[in-house]
Amino acid sequence: MTISEYFELLFTDYTLGTITLGTAVLGAICGMLGSFAVLRKQSLLGDAISHAALPGIAIAFLITGTKDTNILLLGALISGLIGTFWIRGMTHKTHLKSDTALGLVLSLFFGFGMLLLTFIQKQPNANQAGLDKYLFGQAATLVKSDVILMITVTSICLFVLLLFWKEFKLLLFDADYTKTLGFNTKFIDILITFFIVLAIVLGLQTVGVILMSAMLLAPAAAARQWTNKLSIMIFLAAIFGAFSGVFGTAISASQNNLSTGPVIVLVAAVFVAFSFVFSPSRGLLFRHIRFLKNRRDLELKKTLQFMYGIAKTHENISHPHAIRILNNFHGFTRKTLQKLEHNGWIEISNQQWSLTNKGFVEAENLYNQLLEND
């Protein structure tokens, strides 16, 4: 199946439509909530929570003996919340830094989860097969009820986001000021964290424990490069996440033996790489262009000041043979002279240059600015 054939079948094939809608919704909610994790500098939180959810899945299976998705995800949610509150407790009650607490919870819970999975797989119960899909995800197992659950959670998340928008925004950028206004910052913080955990748990079936943190952070990291406004960042992150889900699913379906979860993450990484290079405000390309422009402006001003110094030491501001001197000035003067002439700051005639009145005033202003800065 080619990608074009995939999109032709998208609205007629039930399975393709369900999987694509599920991955798009998952990408959107992960992008929205991932924006808060990125801006709060809690990028490792997604990784820790996704790994902390693994023992909850295993324990839920051991208790019920069934692979009901809702029950397993409930166990993952409980385990993820426990891991989150452990992290909060260690950072608030001890002298440990947040990265240390995240690393401890990640390794402890994931190790315990792998131990339980190994124990389950050695049991004489044929029903345990397939639990390992939560490690790397398996989007093909998505059914209509899973997608409905994702849409419901996303709708609730949007409602809460709009309801507490002012509080979320204040807490995000100035927690101390939020406290002085009388808001319950602890409740707001727990609310944000809860929805982040919920989004991660929803994505375990599709993307898996290992790659879920990338799904949470990549769309938000890409969106951050394009704007300084929170609302626009959240919107862009949701768009990037949804498109990552759609195109990742399309690429996976068009090729044999390509897991959907890793392909979705790779597509999201392409969005990140593109944003890092081509975003107008922070992109590497435009940053380099601005650097070259600033360097040219600096060379221009240095040359003008150099001319000003020559002009100040003579009665007449016109000096022959100066082009030969200036052409050796840092190796850039020939183009700089052309730019100076283009700006109307100097005049060049018969191998002689002279500062115009406009150039003399400009150079004098630069000289005075330097004196003020010193």
Side-chain angles (χ1 to χ4, degrees):
M1 180 191 301
T2 63
I3 293 180
S4 60
E5 291 175 343
Y6 171 85
F7 283 107
E8 290 175 1
L9 294 172
L10 183 59
F11 298 100
T12 57
D13 188 280
Y14 172 81
T15 303
L16 288 181
T18 300
I19 296 173
T20 303
L21 180 60
T23 54
V25 172
L26 175 65
I29 189 174
C30 285
M32 287 190 298
L33 296 173
S35 299
F36 290 97
V38 169
L39 293 176
R40 295 171 74 192
K41 299 180 180 179
Q42 293 181 334
S43 299
L44 285 176
L45 181 63
D47 203 21
I49 294 173
S50 61
H51 285 72
L54 185 60
I57 295 172
I59 292 173
F61 175 79
L62 287 173
I63 293 174
T64 62
T66 61
K67 290 190 298 182
D68 184 274
T69 301
N70 294 330
I71 294 176
L72 296 182
L73 292 183
L74 179 61
L77 177 63
I78 295 172
S79 180
L81 289 173
I82 293 173
T84 303
F85 286 110
W86 274 30
I87 294 169
R88 289 175 57 87
M90 281 189 280
T91 53
H92 288 87
K93 304 295 183 180
T94 68
H95 296 289
L96 294 177
K97 299 293 183 180
S98 59
D99 57 342
T100 305
L102 288 167
L104 285 173
V105 169
L106 185 153
S107 56
L108 176 63
F109 276 69
F110 186 65
F112 182 49
M114 290 300 297
L115 179 66
L116 290 176
L117 284 183
T118 304
F119 172 76
I120 291 171
Q121 289 172 354
K122 291 183 178 180
Q123 297 300 307
N125 181 6
N127 198 32
Q128 90 275 16
L131 282 180
D132 55 345
K133 72 181 181 182
Y134 288 97
L135 288 175
F136 299 102
Q138 191 173 351
T141 60
L142 287 176
V143 294
K144 185 178 180 180
S145 59
D146 298 327
V147 177
I148 291 174
L149 178 62
M150 290 180 181
I151 294 174
T152 302
V153 171
T154 303
S155 302
I156 295 173
C157 176
L158 278 174
F159 175 76
V160 173
L161 189 62
L162 294 174
L163 185 64
F164 293 96
W165 176 254
K166 180 175 66 176
E167 291 82 354
F168 286 159
K169 194 173 182 179
L170 283 171
L171 180 65
L172 195 61
F173 296 108
D174 197 337
D176 294 331
Y177 179 64
T178 309
K179 288 181 181 180
T180 61
L181 294 178
F183 291 113
N184 189 340
T185 56
K186 185 176 181 180
F187 170 76
I188 300 170
D189 182 56
I190 291 174
L191 193 61
I192 295 175
T193 305
F194 172 77
F195 277 104
I196 291 175
V197 175
L198 195 57
I200 291 171
V201 169
L202 287 176
L204 293 179
Q205 184 180 359
T206 306
V207 182
V209 167
I210 306 296
L211 299 175
M212 189 57 217
S213 62
M215 191 64 193
L216 186 74
L217 301 175
R224 182 68 182 93
Q225 307 306 310
W226 296 91
T227 182
N228 290 321
K229 193 172 182 180
L230 179 62
S231 57
I232 297 177
M233 177 183 171
I234 292 175
F235 176 76
L236 287 177
I239 295 297
F240 290 155
F243 273 94
S244 298
V246 172
F247 286 109
T249 305
I251 295 171
S252 174
S254 64
Q255 303 293 326
N256 294 326
N257 301 321
L258 280 183
S259 298
T260 306
V263 176
I264 291 175
V265 171
L266 288 176
V267 173
V270 171
F271 279 107
V272 175
F274 182 86
S275 301
F276 280 175
V277 175
F278 294 105
S279 67
S281 58
R282 293 184 176 84
L284 297 177
L285 177 62
F286 289 95
R287 185 184 301 176
H288 186 65
I289 292 173
R290 288 193 295 270
F291 170 77
L292 293 178
K293 182 180 181 300
N294 291 335
R295 189 171 69 176
R296 285 194 299 267
D297 291 342
L298 181 61
E299 291 163 2
L300 195 72
K301 293 177 180 179
K302 281 184 177 181
T303 306
L304 188 62
Q305 288 175 343
F306 184 63
M307 290 179 167
Y308 177 75
I310 296 176
K312 290 287 288 183
T313 58
H314 295 75
E315 293 181 359
N316 192 340
I317 63 173
S318 178
H319 306 281
H321 312 301
I323 290 181
R324 180 180 57 82
I325 301 172
L326 292 171
N327 281 343
N328 295 323
F329 183 67
H330 289 295
F332 300 101
T333 307
R334 187 179 299 277
K335 290 183 179 179
T336 306
L337 284 174
Q338 294 174 355
K339 183 67 174 177
L340 288 170
E341 187 180 19
H342 177 74
N343 290 346
W345 293 346
I346 68 170
E347 293 177 348
I348 301 177
S349 178
N350 298 326
Q351 296 297 308
Q352 294 184 2
W353 65 269
S354 63
L355 282 170
T356 63
N357 290 331
K358 179 181 177 182
F360 196 87
V361 172
E362 180 69 22
E364 194 171 30
N365 290 335
L366 288 173
Y367 182 76
N368 292 332
Q369 288 176 8
L370 286 175
L371 290 178
E372 290 177 1
N373 292 334
D374 291 340

